[in-house]
Amino acid sequence: MLQGGQVFELTQSRDAERLWAYRFRVGGRGSKRIQRGGFASERDAREALERELERVRRERRIPRSLTLAQLVEVYLAQHDVQPVTIAKLRWLLGKAIAVFGDRRIRELTPQEIAEWRMSPGYRFEATQALRQVLHRAVAWGMIDVNPAKVGVDNPTRRRKEQRPFESWAELEALAEAIGPRYGAMILFAAATGIRPAEWIALEKRDIDREGRVAYIRRSFTKGVLKVPKTEASLRAVPLQARALDALDQQPPSNGSPLLFPGERGGYLDIHHFRPFQWRPAQLAVGIDPLRRIYDLRHTFATFALRAGISTFDLSRYMGASLTMIDRHYGHLARDGREHAIQLLNALNAPESKPWTLVDVRWTSKQRDGAHTGNRNDG
């Protein structure tokens, strides 16, 4: 199974000339990766990669014309991702295979793919998956253009309405109704914006109280513990005073390394937690409409934007792109423009002081003042 390859810039010292390289695999996951470097430009490296891929194709007699079903099997066999991702891709691609599976990929046309895209059920995700596979066929030289992209619109899915909690008082009432075992976990989630799959996988060693940081190193979803492939995928989330307070309220975990373990010390079963703790607690305190667990993340984003945290910093803390932050959370900062005006007016005021960098340890002035005597902030 031949991989499409990758072109990248080699790491050099500041004074060294910029050099480029390419790499690719000739088999599936775990196979030997071939790498060549020393190219003067990205274009030179890409052209060399294409020549090398073509040579390997000829040697291995990789067919240049497959049916869509065959292409999907070849693609998934060499796609180096987690098994859960392969399973989801196979399910999504099955929607296209059901219609076009026996067709040669060279015969597929944008018009018929555009018509297929309008069929109900996961149309955005299914079209994206089909584009992904056919893009690889273009890279392998099997087709010249991607028929699922050229002339096929695939507008972004309608954004789901986000319902952040209105105040910390509301969150504290909810945490009290949930009870001591999981109440602190809910407050911590709202104070950090970490995804549920991430705070379920948090371990005690991931918390740096002195540095006021939580390190996100793994996630747990659908019964599988996932660890990022690269160091770049790891991130540090600042712990405001409310997050530290939540940790202080967390009951003993009876020897479990997890920060928020389930009742038996293992990973929390969120599918059990949702109907038996989360929803009843909301009903008990009169929260209407009911919020999803993921709305704790939206709450953090809303409060952070209103506090003046930049979208750039917020994207780093939440592990999301700037585009995603703007699309999903930017509209929630209802007073963002007013806050910007206040900052600009303050800068131009005659009595304004020189600018200083803002520390990541953000809290309201009231909260900071309340904790001055209780915690040494360094």
Side-chain angles (χ1 to χ4, degrees):
M1 312 303 180
L2 183 62
Q3 192 186 54
Q6 177 187 15
V7 171
F8 60 97
E9 185 176 3
L10 291 172
T11 302
Q12 300 285 333
S13 64
R14 293 183 178 180
D15 298 330
E17 180 184 0
R18 295 179 61 187
L19 296 175
W20 294 79
Y22 68 77
R23 57 191 174 203
F24 66 94
R25 295 185 190 275
V26 293
R29 180 185 300 183
S31 65
K32 182 179 179 181
R33 183 167 62 184
I34 298 174
Q35 178 171 317
R36 300 287 186 273
F39 299 95
S41 68
E42 180 180 8
R43 179 178 178 180
D44 289 345
R46 191 168 300 281
E47 290 177 350
L49 171 62
E50 292 173 355
R51 290 194 299 270
E52 183 67 9
L53 291 177
E54 181 61 27
R55 181 188 65 78
V56 175
R57 287 192 199 99
R58 289 196 301 269
E59 289 180 354
R60 292 175 174 254
R61 294 185 174 89
I62 296 177
R64 299 180 63 85
S65 181
L66 301 174
T67 65
L68 179 62
Q70 290 171 334
L71 175 64
V72 166
E73 290 304 316
V74 171
Y75 176 80
L76 294 180
Q78 58 80 53
H79 196 38
D80 191 14
V81 294
Q82 295 287 337
V84 64
T85 304
I86 292 292
K88 183 176 182 180
L89 273 174
R90 186 179 295 279
W91 177 72
L92 289 171
L93 290 165
K95 300 179 180 300
I97 291 174
V99 179
F100 307 119
D102 295 333
R103 296 278 302 281
R104 298 284 178 181
I105 58 175
R106 287 184 177 275
E107 299 172 357
L108 297 176
T109 66
Q111 181 179 359
E112 61 185 350
I113 292 177
E115 293 174 355
W116 162 81
R117 188 208 168 274
M118 297 309 296
S119 58
Y122 298 90
R123 61 178 65 175
F124 176 82
E125 292 92 341
T127 306
Q128 286 293 91
L130 181 58
R131 283 182 172 184
Q132 181 176 336
V133 171
L134 291 174
H135 176 75
R136 184 56 55 87
V138 173
W140 284 342
M142 296 178 178
I143 52 178
D144 295 328
V145 296
N146 188 335
K149 188 171 184 179
V150 178
V152 179
D153 295 331
N154 193 32
T156 305
R157 296 164 293 179
R158 178 181 296 180
R159 182 180 59 210
K160 293 181 180 179
E161 183 178 2
Q162 319 296 359
R163 295 186 182 275
F165 288 89
E166 295 297 327
S167 66
W168 278 107
E170 189 177 41
L171 285 162
E172 288 167 354
L174 175 62
E176 184 176 356
I178 288 177
R181 175 178 290 277
Y182 298 122
M185 175 182 73
I186 296 306
L187 295 175
F188 183 87
T192 57
I194 299 172
R195 298 178 179 90
E198 294 170 340
W199 47 256
I200 288 175
L202 271 178
E203 299 182 7
K204 297 171 186 175
R205 62 191 175 100
D206 299 322
I207 303 299
D208 180 357
R209 282 179 171 268
E210 183 177 349
R212 301 179 69 167
V213 168
Y215 293 100
I216 310 304
R217 297 185 171 103
R218 67 198 74 81
S219 65
F220 184 82
T221 181
K222 297 182 179 180
V224 178
L225 185 66
K226 299 175 63 176
V227 179
K229 294 180 181 179
T230 64
E231 290 293 330
S233 300
L234 306 178
R235 72 182 193 278
V237 177
L239 298 178
Q240 58 170 306
R242 290 187 182 274
L244 294 171
D245 285 348
L247 293 178
D248 292 338
Q249 298 172 29
Q250 179 68 5
S253 56
N254 297 324
S256 173
L258 297 174
L259 191 63
F260 304 113
E263 293 184 6
R264 298 182 180 180
Y267 293 106
L268 173 71
D269 184 351
I270 200 166
H271 300 293
H272 183 276
F273 173 77
R274 189 180 291 113
F276 292 103
Q277 281 92 22
W278 176 252
R279 289 173 185 162
Q282 291 189 74
L283 292 171
V285 299
I287 294 177
D288 183 36
L290 294 179
R291 306 302 204 273
R292 298 166 299 172
I293 293 177
Y294 213 86
D295 286 327
L296 294 168
R297 181 167 163 88
H298 306 323
T299 300
F300 169 81
T302 304
F303 290 176
L305 289 170
R306 290 176 181 172
I309 300 296
S310 71
T311 55
F312 174 78
D313 285 334
L314 187 61
S315 71
R316 290 192 297 130
Y317 302 151
M318 298 186 70
S321 68
L322 282 169
T323 300
M324 292 294 290
I325 290 293
D326 183 60
R327 179 188 303 163
H328 292 285
Y329 304 116
H331 69 290
L332 296 175
R334 292 185 291 247
D335 55 354
R337 287 186 293 273
E338 181 63 28
H339 181 74
I341 292 172
Q342 293 175 3
L343 290 175
L344 292 170
N345 287 342
L347 173 66
N348 295 321
E351 66 278 9
S352 64
K353 298 179 181 180
W355 280 34
T356 58
L357 294 176
V358 178
D359 190 13
V360 297
R361 300 172 295 181
W362 57 274
T363 63
S364 66
K365 293 182 179 179
Q366 182 178 359
R367 297 280 311 167
D368 280 343
H371 288 80
T372 300
N374 298 331
R375 188 174 284 114
N376 181 13
D377 292 339

PDB file of all heavy atoms in Angstrom, residues 314-333:
ATOM      1  N   LEU A 314      -7.111  31.761  23.606  1.00  0.00           N
ATOM      2  CA  LEU A 314      -8.193  30.826  23.879  1.00  0.00           C
ATOM      3  C   LEU A 314      -8.079  29.574  23.002  1.00  0.00           C
ATOM      4  O   LEU A 314      -8.337  28.461  23.453  1.00  0.00           O
ATOM      5  CB  LEU A 314      -9.544  31.505  23.652  1.00  0.00           C
ATOM      6  CG  LEU A 314     -10.784  30.706  24.066  1.00  0.00           C
ATOM      7  CD1 LEU A 314     -10.748  30.401  25.561  1.00  0.00           C
ATOM      8  CD2 LEU A 314     -12.052  31.466  23.709  1.00  0.00           C
ATOM      9  N   SER A 315      -7.673  29.751  21.759  1.00  0.00           N
ATOM     10  CA  SER A 315      -7.535  28.591  20.871  1.00  0.00           C
ATOM     11  C   SER A 315      -6.448  27.656  21.380  1.00  0.00           C
ATOM     12  O   SER A 315      -6.571  26.430  21.270  1.00  0.00           O
ATOM     13  CB  SER A 315      -7.218  29.058  19.440  1.00  0.00           C
ATOM     14  OG  SER A 315      -5.900  29.571  19.345  1.00  0.00           O
ATOM     15  N   ARG A 316      -5.386  28.202  21.949  1.00  0.00           N
ATOM     16  CA  ARG A 316      -4.316  27.357  22.487  1.00  0.00           C
ATOM     17  C   ARG A 316      -4.780  26.620  23.740  1.00  0.00           C
ATOM     18  O   ARG A 316      -4.512  25.434  23.912  1.00  0.00           O
ATOM     19  CB  ARG A 316      -3.078  28.199  22.818  1.00  0.00           C
ATOM     20  CG  ARG A 316      -2.352  28.734  21.582  1.00  0.00           C
ATOM     21  CD  ARG A 316      -1.000  29.290  21.946  1.00  0.00           C
ATOM     22  NE  ARG A 316      -1.125  30.435  22.853  1.00  0.00           N
ATOM     23  CZ  ARG A 316      -0.454  30.556  23.990  1.00  0.00           C
ATOM     24  NH1 ARG A 316       0.360  29.598  24.377  1.00  0.00           N
ATOM     25  NH2 ARG A 316      -0.607  31.629  24.753  1.00  0.00           N
ATOM     26  N   TYR A 317      -5.478  27.317  24.615  1.00  0.00           N
ATOM     27  CA  TYR A 317      -5.924  26.684  25.850  1.00  0.00           C
ATOM     28  C   TYR A 317      -6.956  25.597  25.588  1.00  0.00           C
ATOM     29  O   TYR A 317      -6.966  24.571  26.259  1.00  0.00           O
ATOM     30  CB  TYR A 317      -6.526  27.733  26.791  1.00  0.00           C
ATOM     31  CG  TYR A 317      -5.580  28.852  27.159  1.00  0.00           C
ATOM     32  CD1 TYR A 317      -6.056  30.118  27.474  1.00  0.00           C
ATOM     33  CD2 TYR A 317      -4.202  28.643  27.187  1.00  0.00           C
ATOM     34  CE1 TYR A 317      -5.201  31.145  27.811  1.00  0.00           C
ATOM     35  CE2 TYR A 317      -3.340  29.672  27.514  1.00  0.00           C
ATOM     36  CZ  TYR A 317      -3.836  30.922  27.826  1.00  0.00           C
ATOM     37  OH  TYR A 317      -2.990  31.947  28.151  1.00  0.00           O
ATOM     38  N   MET A 318      -7.826  25.809  24.592  1.00  0.00           N
ATOM     39  CA  MET A 318      -8.897  24.865  24.325  1.00  0.00           C
ATOM     40  C   MET A 318      -8.504  23.782  23.317  1.00  0.00           C
ATOM     41  O   MET A 318      -9.255  22.837  23.094  1.00  0.00           O
ATOM     42  CB  MET A 318     -10.142  25.604  23.844  1.00  0.00           C
ATOM     43  CG  MET A 318     -10.701  26.583  24.867  1.00  0.00           C
ATOM     44  SD  MET A 318     -12.269  27.317  24.377  1.00  0.00           S
ATOM     45  CE  MET A 318     -13.367  25.906  24.509  1.00  0.00           C
ATOM     46  N   GLY A 319      -7.344  23.942  22.688  1.00  0.00           N
ATOM     47  CA  GLY A 319      -6.917  22.954  21.710  1.00  0.00           C
ATOM     48  C   GLY A 319      -7.764  22.975  20.462  1.00  0.00           C
ATOM     49  O   GLY A 319      -8.072  21.930  19.883  1.00  0.00           O
ATOM     50  N   ALA A 320      -8.165  24.164  20.027  1.00  0.00           N
ATOM     51  CA  ALA A 320      -9.002  24.331  18.836  1.00  0.00           C
ATOM     52  C   ALA A 320      -8.384  25.394  17.948  1.00  0.00           C
ATOM     53  O   ALA A 320      -7.647  26.266  18.411  1.00  0.00           O
ATOM     54  CB  ALA A 320     -10.426  24.728  19.228  1.00  0.00           C
ATOM     55  N   SER A 321      -8.682  25.331  16.650  1.00  0.00           N
ATOM     56  CA  SER A 321      -8.142  26.314  15.716  1.00  0.00           C
ATOM     57  C   SER A 321      -8.825  27.657  15.906  1.00  0.00           C
ATOM     58  O   SER A 321      -9.925  27.756  16.472  1.00  0.00           O
ATOM     59  CB  SER A 321      -8.346  25.835  14.273  1.00  0.00           C
ATOM     60  OG  SER A 321      -9.733  25.840  13.948  1.00  0.00           O
ATOM     61  N   LEU A 322      -8.169  28.701  15.420  1.00  0.00           N
ATOM     62  CA  LEU A 322      -8.768  30.034  15.486  1.00  0.00           C
ATOM     63  C   LEU A 322     -10.092  30.088  14.736  1.00  0.00           C
ATOM     64  O   LEU A 322     -11.044  30.747  15.157  1.00  0.00           O
ATOM     65  CB  LEU A 322      -7.791  31.070  14.907  1.00  0.00           C
ATOM     66  CG  LEU A 322      -6.646  31.495  15.825  1.00  0.00           C
ATOM     67  CD1 LEU A 322      -5.620  32.298  15.049  1.00  0.00           C
ATOM     68  CD2 LEU A 322      -7.171  32.309  16.996  1.00  0.00           C
ATOM     69  N   THR A 323     -10.149  29.371  13.605  1.00  0.00           N
ATOM     70  CA  THR A 323     -11.384  29.332  12.825  1.00  0.00           C
ATOM     71  C   THR A 323     -12.513  28.718  13.632  1.00  0.00           C
ATOM     72  O   THR A 323     -13.645  29.226  13.648  1.00  0.00           O
ATOM     73  CB  THR A 323     -11.178  28.536  11.534  1.00  0.00           C
ATOM     74  OG1 THR A 323     -10.149  29.162  10.758  1.00  0.00           O
ATOM     75  CG2 THR A 323     -12.463  28.488  10.718  1.00  0.00           C
ATOM     76  N   MET A 324     -12.220  27.616  14.324  1.00  0.00           N
ATOM     77  CA  MET A 324     -13.235  26.974  15.138  1.00  0.00           C
ATOM     78  C   MET A 324     -13.664  27.849  16.305  1.00  0.00           C
ATOM     79  O   MET A 324     -14.848  27.920  16.649  1.00  0.00           O
ATOM     80  CB  MET A 324     -12.704  25.626  15.649  1.00  0.00           C
ATOM     81  CG  MET A 324     -12.513  24.589  14.571  1.00  0.00           C
ATOM     82  SD  MET A 324     -14.081  24.069  13.833  1.00  0.00           S
ATOM     83  CE  MET A 324     -14.790  23.142  15.187  1.00  0.00           C
ATOM     84  N   ILE A 325     -12.718  28.531  16.932  1.00  0.00           N
ATOM     85  CA  ILE A 325     -13.061  29.423  18.042  1.00  0.00           C
ATOM     86  C   ILE A 325     -13.999  30.512  17.562  1.00  0.00           C
ATOM     87  O   ILE A 325     -15.019  30.814  18.194  1.00  0.00           O
ATOM     88  CB  ILE A 325     -11.787  30.039  18.644  1.00  0.00           C
ATOM     89  CG1 ILE A 325     -10.975  28.976  19.384  1.00  0.00           C
ATOM     90  CG2 ILE A 325     -12.138  31.188  19.583  1.00  0.00           C
ATOM     91  CD1 ILE A 325     -11.632  28.423  20.616  1.00  0.00           C
ATOM     92  N   ASP A 326     -13.680  31.119  16.422  1.00  0.00           N
ATOM     93  CA  ASP A 326     -14.514  32.198  15.894  1.00  0.00           C
ATOM     94  C   ASP A 326     -15.891  31.675  15.501  1.00  0.00           C
ATOM     95  O   ASP A 326     -16.907  32.321  15.766  1.00  0.00           O
ATOM     96  CB  ASP A 326     -13.825  32.839  14.693  1.00  0.00           C
ATOM     97  CG  ASP A 326     -14.607  34.020  14.143  1.00  0.00           C
ATOM     98  OD1 ASP A 326     -14.826  34.979  14.897  1.00  0.00           O
ATOM     99  OD2 ASP A 326     -15.011  33.967  12.969  1.00  0.00           O
ATOM    100  N   ARG A 327     -15.926  30.494  14.892  1.00  0.00           N
ATOM    101  CA  ARG A 327     -17.198  29.959  14.406  1.00  0.00           C
ATOM    102  C   ARG A 327     -18.109  29.542  15.547  1.00  0.00           C
ATOM    103  O   ARG A 327     -19.311  29.811  15.541  1.00  0.00           O
ATOM    104  CB  ARG A 327     -16.938  28.763  13.497  1.00  0.00           C
ATOM    105  CG  ARG A 327     -18.223  28.112  12.954  1.00  0.00           C
ATOM    106  CD  ARG A 327     -17.904  26.818  12.221  1.00  0.00           C
ATOM    107  NE  ARG A 327     -16.959  27.045  11.136  1.00  0.00           N
ATOM    108  CZ  ARG A 327     -16.266  26.067  10.547  1.00  0.00           C
ATOM    109  NH1 ARG A 327     -16.406  24.814  10.972  1.00  0.00           N
ATOM    110  NH2 ARG A 327     -15.442  26.328   9.557  1.00  0.00           N
ATOM    111  N   HIS A 328     -17.549  28.887  16.552  1.00  0.00           N
ATOM    112  CA  HIS A 328     -18.377  28.291  17.596  1.00  0.00           C
ATOM    113  C   HIS A 328     -18.526  29.165  18.832  1.00  0.00           C
ATOM    114  O   HIS A 328     -19.531  29.059  19.538  1.00  0.00           O
ATOM    115  CB  HIS A 328     -17.797  26.946  18.015  1.00  0.00           C
ATOM    116  CG  HIS A 328     -17.900  25.900  16.954  1.00  0.00           C
ATOM    117  ND1 HIS A 328     -19.082  25.264  16.648  1.00  0.00           N
ATOM    118  CD2 HIS A 328     -16.979  25.397  16.099  1.00  0.00           C
ATOM    119  CE1 HIS A 328     -18.884  24.394  15.671  1.00  0.00           C
ATOM    120  NE2 HIS A 328     -17.613  24.457  15.321  1.00  0.00           N
ATOM    121  N   TYR A 329     -17.533  30.008  19.125  1.00  0.00           N
ATOM    122  CA  TYR A 329     -17.561  30.718  20.386  1.00  0.00           C
ATOM    123  C   TYR A 329     -17.527  32.236  20.269  1.00  0.00           C
ATOM    124  O   TYR A 329     -17.911  32.934  21.205  1.00  0.00           O
ATOM    125  CB  TYR A 329     -16.379  30.273  21.264  1.00  0.00           C
ATOM    126  CG  TYR A 329     -16.331  28.792  21.498  1.00  0.00           C
ATOM    127  CD1 TYR A 329     -15.277  28.025  21.027  1.00  0.00           C
ATOM    128  CD2 TYR A 329     -17.352  28.146  22.185  1.00  0.00           C
ATOM    129  CE1 TYR A 329     -15.227  26.655  21.240  1.00  0.00           C
ATOM    130  CE2 TYR A 329     -17.323  26.783  22.404  1.00  0.00           C
ATOM    131  CZ  TYR A 329     -16.255  26.036  21.937  1.00  0.00           C
ATOM    132  OH  TYR A 329     -16.217  24.682  22.138  1.00  0.00           O
ATOM    133  N   GLY A 330     -17.024  32.751  19.136  1.00  0.00           N
ATOM    134  CA  GLY A 330     -16.873  34.200  19.017  1.00  0.00           C
ATOM    135  C   GLY A 330     -18.166  34.958  19.228  1.00  0.00           C
ATOM    136  O   GLY A 330     -18.198  36.019  19.854  1.00  0.00           O
ATOM    137  N   HIS A 331     -19.282  34.411  18.738  1.00  0.00           N
ATOM    138  CA  HIS A 331     -20.558  35.110  18.852  1.00  0.00           C
ATOM    139  C   HIS A 331     -21.079  35.136  20.281  1.00  0.00           C
ATOM    140  O   HIS A 331     -21.985  35.889  20.606  1.00  0.00           O
ATOM    141  CB  HIS A 331     -21.593  34.424  17.959  1.00  0.00           C
ATOM    142  CG  HIS A 331     -21.995  33.073  18.439  1.00  0.00           C
ATOM    143  ND1 HIS A 331     -21.154  31.981  18.400  1.00  0.00           N
ATOM    144  CD2 HIS A 331     -23.152  32.632  19.003  1.00  0.00           C
ATOM    145  CE1 HIS A 331     -21.777  30.922  18.887  1.00  0.00           C
ATOM    146  NE2 HIS A 331     -22.990  31.292  19.270  1.00  0.00           N
ATOM    147  N   LEU A 332     -20.510  34.294  21.148  1.00  0.00           N
ATOM    148  CA  LEU A 332     -20.990  34.238  22.520  1.00  0.00           C
ATOM    149  C   LEU A 332     -20.498  35.417  23.357  1.00  0.00           C
ATOM    150  O   LEU A 332     -21.078  35.710  24.396  1.00  0.00           O
ATOM    151  CB  LEU A 332     -20.531  32.933  23.176  1.00  0.00           C
ATOM    152  CG  LEU A 332     -21.085  31.652  22.551  1.00  0.00           C
ATOM    153  CD1 LEU A 332     -20.448  30.443  23.211  1.00  0.00           C
ATOM    154  CD2 LEU A 332     -22.597  31.600  22.694  1.00  0.00           C
ATOM    155  N   ALA A 333     -19.420  36.065  22.914  1.00  0.00           N
ATOM    156  CA  ALA A 333     -18.877  37.202  23.663  1.00  0.00           C
ATOM    157  C   ALA A 333     -19.704  38.442  23.341  1.00  0.00           C
ATOM    158  O   ALA A 333     -19.318  39.301  22.576  1.00  0.00           O
ATOM    159  CB  ALA A 333     -17.407  37.423  23.314  1.00  0.00           C
TER     160      ALA A 333
END
